[in-house]
Amino acid sequence: SCLTQRIEVEPMRIVLALIILALLYLALVSPRLRKSGFASPALLAHRGLFDNQNGATENSLAAFERAAAVGYAIELDVHLTADGQLIVFHDEDLMRACGIAGDPRQMTLAQLREQRLFGTDQRIPTLDEVLDLVDGRVTLLIELKTTSRYRELPLAAMQRLRRYKGP
């Protein structure tokens, strides 16, 4: 009957209208987001595009290069060493990644340079090394790790990032 036919058509019209509205929204908003530089990346390499078994360990220059080479945005963590250097390292202890106990924030850069990541030839990089390597090719998401030097870390990171030309 007419009533049954109308009930079946109404949901289809609603779904079709919602699809059209969604497409219009994307067509109108998406170009503006891209022009503003706000368009979010589709993929994010957490601690770089790493493979701990094959030399491109997490938070290593090799992992960051792999991510940048394929266009993935990169998430990384930054600590401030005892001698005021910005390093890229996730953990608050070296045991998991380097096999020794120690807080990277209480060690100097020279002491940290002696450590190898996950038994490879990769070392703990500085933020400068990562920024130089990535060189604006992809978006960076930088987490400043908690520290008792809560004023010093953000100021040091901000000072360094002011010179960075990337997104």
Side-chain angles (χ1 to χ4, degrees), residues 52-70:
N52 286 347
Q53 306 306 313
N54 293 307
T57 63
E58 67 182 67
N59 278 322
S60 69
L61 292 177
F64 297 135
E65 176 55 39
R66 286 181 69 200
V70 295

Side-chain angles (χ1 to χ4, degrees), residues 8 13 17 38 43 49 56 72-74 94 96 99 101-103 108 111 117 129 133 138 142 151 159 164 167:
E8 290 174 8
R13 283 186 181 167
F38 186 73
L43 297 171
L49 187 56
Y72 290 7
I74 299 170
L94 297 172
R96 184 180 68 86
D103 185 336
T108 65
Q111 291 170 314
L117 294 168
E129 290 169 333
L133 175 77
V138 296
I142 300 173
R151 287 189 176 112
Q159 183 178 18
Y164 185 61

Side-chain angles (χ1 to χ4, degrees), residues 61-128:
L61 292 177
F64 297 135
E65 176 55 39
R66 286 181 69 200
V70 295
Y72 290 7
I74 299 170
E75 181 276 343
L76 54 92
D77 308 287
V78 174
H79 288 281
L80 192 63
T81 63
D83 56 345
Q85 300 298 309
L86 295 166
I87 59 160
V88 177
F89 192 75
H90 178 265
D91 300 349
E92 294 180 5
D93 187 84
L94 297 172
M95 184 56 75
R96 184 180 68 86
C98 300
I100 67 158
D103 185 336
R105 299 166 299 189
Q106 296 182 8
M107 299 173 80
T108 65
L109 181 59
Q111 291 170 314
L112 292 167
R113 289 288 192 197
E114 295 172 10
Q115 306 309 312
R116 299 292 182 271
L117 294 168
F118 298 94
T120 67
D121 64 344
Q122 294 291 309
R123 296 179 181 187
I124 298 170
T126 64
L127 181 59
D128 280 338

Side-chain angles (χ1 to χ4, degrees), residues 126-145:
T126 64
L127 181 59
D128 280 338
E129 290 169 333
V130 174
L131 296 177
D132 289 345
L133 175 77
V134 172
D135 195 30
R137 292 181 286 166
V138 296
T139 300
L140 296 175
L141 174 61
I142 300 173
E143 178 183 342
L144 303 179
K145 300 302 270 189

